[in-house]
Amino acid sequence: MKDGVLDEIDRKILRTLARDGRISNQKLAETVNLSPTPCWHRVKALEESGHIGNYAAVLDQRALGLPDTVIIEVTVDRHDDEIFQAFSDALAELPEVMEAYLLSGEYDYLIKVAVSGTEGYERFLRQKLYRLPGVKHTRSTFTLRCLKRAASVVP
């Protein structure tokens, strides 16, 4: 990486790490046609520049007993900083919430939640979501099947 611009080797490193974050430096170097030391230096530079933000294990929600994904649109009752902050902070504490976005448009938030069937979803709504500060209205959609899942964008 020179002056913050990724070259093709950097892109290969990022694509390989996106597929397998546990790959050894030796194997990564072989994959991108570098020797281990320059490969390690490039990975460190990519981490320091923020191109690599994190390494994580992707857990299987089905194996964890939460096979269903629900997309929930939420409208809050007031549009002020206090409500947005309180709602966002409380939402971040809910383990079922996999992703949450503040939106422009008809709804204020879009939330992706892992649940166990309709009973698990009802329990999440009644015991957690509806108790968060500022919730005025929700609209939910059960997903049928995941067509694509990526932990990050790949260059």
Side-chain angles (χ1 to χ4, degrees), residues 123-135:
R123 196 168 34 258
F124 174 79
L125 280 181
R126 290 177 183 265
Q127 295 176 8
K128 295 185 178 184
L129 187 63
Y130 289 162
R131 294 182 182 188
L132 297 186
V135 174

Side-chain angles (χ1 to χ4, degrees), residues 40-138:
W40 184 84
H41 285 294
R42 281 183 179 250
V43 170
K44 289 297 166 199
L46 289 165
E47 291 170 349
E48 290 170 7
S49 68
H51 285 89
I52 298 172
N54 195 2
Y55 294 92
V58 178
L59 307 180
D60 184 320
Q61 72 185 74
R62 184 173 300 280
L64 293 170
L66 301 166
D68 301 300
T69 302
V70 180
I71 307 298
I72 307 171
E73 296 164 316
V74 178
T75 302
V76 293
D77 58 7
R78 292 189 335 263
H79 292 121
D80 61 43
D81 290 343
E82 182 182 321
I83 284 296
F84 282 134
Q85 192 63 53
F87 181 82
S88 297
D89 290 347
L91 190 66
E93 297 298 317
L94 302 179
E96 300 89 346
V97 175
M98 298 186 296
E99 294 180 51
Y101 300 92
L102 179 62
L103 305 174
S104 64
E106 187 177 346
Y107 287 86
D108 298 314
Y109 291 89
L110 181 73
I111 306 166
K112 180 178 165 185
V113 179
V115 297
S116 179
T118 56
E119 295 86 7
Y121 172 64
E122 180 183 12
R123 196 168 34 258
F124 174 79
L125 280 181
R126 290 177 183 265
Q127 295 176 8
K128 295 185 178 184
L129 187 63
Y130 289 162
R131 294 182 182 188
L132 297 186
V135 174
K136 176 181 179 181
H137 176 73
T138 65

Side-chain angles (χ1 to χ4, degrees), residues 9-27:
I9 293 173
D10 294 325
R11 292 178 190 285
K12 284 182 182 178
I13 289 170
L14 292 173
R15 286 191 297 266
T16 303
L17 287 172
R19 282 191 308 272
D20 182 4
R22 293 184 59 166
I23 192 171
S24 70
N25 185 62
Q26 178 68 39
K27 182 69 176 160

